[in-house]
Amino acid sequence: MMQRSMSDSHAVMEPSAADVAAARAEAAYLGLALGDALGATVEFMTPREIQAQHGCHRTIRGGGWLKLKPGAVTDDTTMALALGDAILAANGIDARAIGESFDAWMRAKPVDIGNTVRRGIIEFRRTGRLAAPPSEHDAGNGACMRVLPVALATLGQPENAVRTACRVQAHLTHNNPLSDAGTETIVLMVQDALHGADRDVLIRHRLQPLVAAFPLFDPAGKREENPSGFIKDTLRAVFQALLDTDSFETCLINVVNRGGDADTTGAIAGMLAGALYGPSSLPEPWLAALDPDARRACAVQSRALLAQACSNTTGKL
């Protein structure tokens, strides 16, 4: 919906808050896929190896240890789409529907899958269990990389409901306080950005409370290079890249050139920066290079999830 504004006797059509949120939601989803595709090329490489092979890696070119075609995405994007499909089919956050969708996703033989994710899905398949037992060893980034559909589907809901929804999807594979805290913070940052919050607001309202409760996430200090799949390493790299740059493109280039789990740091930074900087910030050459099926699926699902959120919050986002 567009809002009409009158100035000097001429009608000017201005985007409504819902229009802006929808555009930023699509940018967040495309940002996830772009960061995934960009980072996959240099996943598990060190910054020195990246520099020697690519200089500054800034092109979606495929390759990497998975030998991907240019523009192809990995489990970060495809698992998010599987989560979104489950939310749409169930008209909400339903653990069994999510588990079944994850199971179908794994049976389709994704290009990659993390050990904790694999173990959790196999256990769901075997027992129907809807939550993994709490484990200090499950503080990986797998629940966070796929969480964007929850941010979109719960937009407009109270914060406690959003946090609960995050844990429903996360605990199928990752049941850990650090994983929960980091994942919930990313979702709330994305939602704030969809509503127009700038970077300073995200830092003050979301990052600083996270660091106060869990100092391991503090981005201050030594640069996080070669970040592992441990959630605190992943998010320290993402937060540092966000703080050190001022655009979508520079944020993603910054984070993936750190190497390590670069498809996932790229995906998380991409969803956050896409929501923050909006659709005009996405580099056209990157969009043109992105796998067209993935590009289409992200765009379609972002709109469907927001429509569901609007319906479930009496039409208000």
Side-chain angles (χ1 to χ4, degrees):
M1 177 181 294
M2 304 290 284
Q3 294 178 335
R4 188 178 298 271
S5 164
M6 299 299 294
S7 176
D8 296 329
S9 302
H10 295 287
V12 178
M13 300 301 288
E14 296 179 349
S16 69
D19 292 329
V20 172
R24 288 180 177 269
E26 185 171 331
Y29 224 138
L30 290 172
L32 182 161
L34 290 171
D36 180 9
L38 185 71
T41 303
V42 294
E43 185 181 15
F44 301 140
M45 295 174 69
T46 66
R48 182 172 294 181
E49 290 168 340
I50 295 170
Q51 177 65 33
Q53 185 167 334
H54 301 293
C56 177
H57 172 56
R58 56 191 312 132
T59 304
I60 292 182
R61 65 183 81 194
W65 76 278
L66 291 169
K67 297 179 171 56
L68 298 174
K69 295 179 180 179
V73 296
T74 76
D75 54 324
D76 299 74
T77 303
T78 60
M79 200 173 195
L81 289 167
L83 173 59
D85 285 343
I87 293 170
L88 291 169
N91 193 32
I93 312 296
D94 180 83
R96 187 164 300 281
I98 294 169
E100 290 171 354
S101 187
F102 286 171
D103 186 29
W105 168 81
M106 192 169 82
R107 289 181 187 278
K109 301 187 185 306
V111 67
D112 188 27
I113 183 169
N115 290 332
T116 304
V117 169
R118 183 191 302 275
R119 184 172 64 249
I121 294 173
I122 289 174
E123 189 64 15
F124 167 80
R125 180 186 299 170
R126 187 178 69 84
T127 68
R129 185 191 67 190
L130 299 180
S135 172
E136 63 180 300
H137 303 296
D138 289 347
N141 57 25
C144 190
M145 71 180 192
R146 68 191 187 220
V147 77
L148 180 60
V150 173
L152 304 187
T154 62
L155 191 65
Q157 294 185 18
E159 183 174 318
N160 63 339
V162 175
R163 290 183 181 274
T164 297
C166 287
R167 296 185 186 199
V168 168
Q169 77 85 20
H171 287 186
L172 276 155
T173 55
H174 296 69
N175 190 349
N176 178 277
L178 275 179
S179 171
D180 288 344
T183 300
E184 291 162 28
T185 297
I186 291 296
V187 164
L188 293 168
M189 291 175 87
V190 167
Q191 291 188 338
D192 289 349
L194 296 183
H195 284 137
D198 62 20
R199 186 177 61 176
D200 290 342
V201 170
L202 301 188
I203 293 167
R204 187 166 62 252
H205 288 177
R206 301 302 180 190
L207 178 54
Q208 290 178 357
L210 173 67
V211 170
F214 297 92
L216 285 172
F217 289 109
D218 191 350
K222 184 179 179 181
R223 177 181 168 91
E224 189 71 48
E225 294 195 338
N226 199 26
S228 75
F230 186 18
I231 188 72
K232 69 96 174 173
D233 296 339
T234 297
L235 291 191
R236 272 177 45 83
V238 169
F239 294 145
Q240 287 176 354
L242 184 71
L243 290 166
D244 290 346
T245 60
D246 60 3
S247 73
F248 177 91
E249 184 173 7
T250 57
C251 180
L252 265 67
I253 291 171
N254 180 299
V255 81
V256 302
N257 278 277
R258 296 163 185 255
D261 200 0
D263 60 332
T264 298
T265 58
I268 296 171
M271 70 174 87
L272 185 53
L276 181 62
Y277 296 115
S280 64
S281 71
L282 307 183
E284 187 55 42
W286 291 4
L287 287 170
L290 187 62
D291 176 84
D293 290 336
R295 180 175 178 176
R296 189 179 309 110
C298 291
V300 168
Q301 196 176 94
S302 73
R303 292 191 291 269
L305 289 165
L306 272 200
Q308 185 181 98
C310 188
S311 175
N312 291 340
T313 54
T314 65
K316 294 182 180 180
L317 295 182

